[in-house]
Structures are given as C-alpha cells and as structure tokens.
C-alpha cells in the first residue's frame, strides 16, 4: 500500500495500532489526547496517482472475501486496539 508498510493485513494492523497509540498519547500525559488520529478507510480505497491512475479514473471494486481478509483486519485493529479518536469510512468526491 501507499500509506502502509506493506500488504500484510496483520502487519498493517500492528503498525496502525502502534502508530495511533503513540501519535495520540504523549509520554507525559496518558489521560488526554496529544493529537487526534484517524483510521482510514473502512471500505475500499481509491488511488491517488499510482502509475498515472488517479482517484477520478479508478473504481475500487473489492470482493467480500478480499474485504474480510485484507481490509478489515487492519482497520479493526486501528479502532479496537489503537483506540483511534476518528474514523474515515470512504473517500468522498
């Protein structure tokens, strides 16, 4: 992925959890947010200039199995284990 360390859903889940946790909580104050982190994207993802293809000319069609196996595990880890304070469901055009 362009915004992840790779395509492995488990690795992306661990990455999201650690990134969000440490981004939101400063070492000096565990009680309050230092900054708000947003997990994205629950449903598919359109491209942002990948090899000449952009989001205005690409339609992400993902099978239910790919959604369950590839997209949801990392997103759910970001939400449930990273405790992100924000969510982005899909790209809005």
């Amino acid at each position: 992925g362009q915004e992840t360390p790779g395509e492995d859903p488990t690795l992306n889940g661990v990455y999201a959890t650690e990134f969000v946790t440490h981004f939101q909580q400063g070492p000096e104050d565990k009680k309050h947010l230092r900054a708000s982190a947003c997990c994205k994207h629950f449903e598919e993802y359109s491209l942002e200039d990948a090899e000449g293809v952009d989001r205005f000319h690409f339609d992400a069609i993902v099978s239910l199995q790919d959604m369950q196996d590839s997209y949801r595990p990392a997103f759910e880890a970001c939400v449930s284990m990273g405790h992100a304070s924000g969510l982005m469901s899909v790209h809005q055009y």
Side-chain angles (χ1 to χ4, degrees):
Q2 292 179 320
E3 298 176 348
T4 63
E7 295 181 1
D8 182 310
T10 302
L11 175 62
N12 288 340
V14 171
Y15 175 82
T17 298
E18 291 298 313
F19 183 88
V20 168
T21 299
H22 291 94
F23 184 82
Q24 290 189 149
Q25 294 179 348
E28 63 285 340
D29 184 359
K30 303 280 186 195
K31 203 172 180 185
H32 299 94
L33 290 180
R34 173 173 55 179
S36 177
C38 178
C39 296
K40 59 181 196 174
H41 301 92
F42 178 65
E43 298 290 334
E44 298 95 27
Y45 179 71
S46 61
L47 296 175
E48 193 65 49
D49 193 27
E51 297 179 16
V53 179
D54 63 26
R55 62 184 168 145
F56 300 109
H57 302 95
F58 176 79
D59 186 13
I61 299 171
V62 179
S63 70
L64 181 58
Q65 180 176 352
D66 196 26
M67 177 65 75
Q68 297 290 342
D69 293 346
S70 301
Y71 288 87
R72 286 203 176 143
F75 188 86
E76 288 177 0
C78 182
V79 174
S80 65
M81 298 188 321
H83 305 289
S85 59
L87 302 176
M88 180 186 292
S89 58
V90 295
H91 266 288
Q92 300 297 318
Y93 298 107

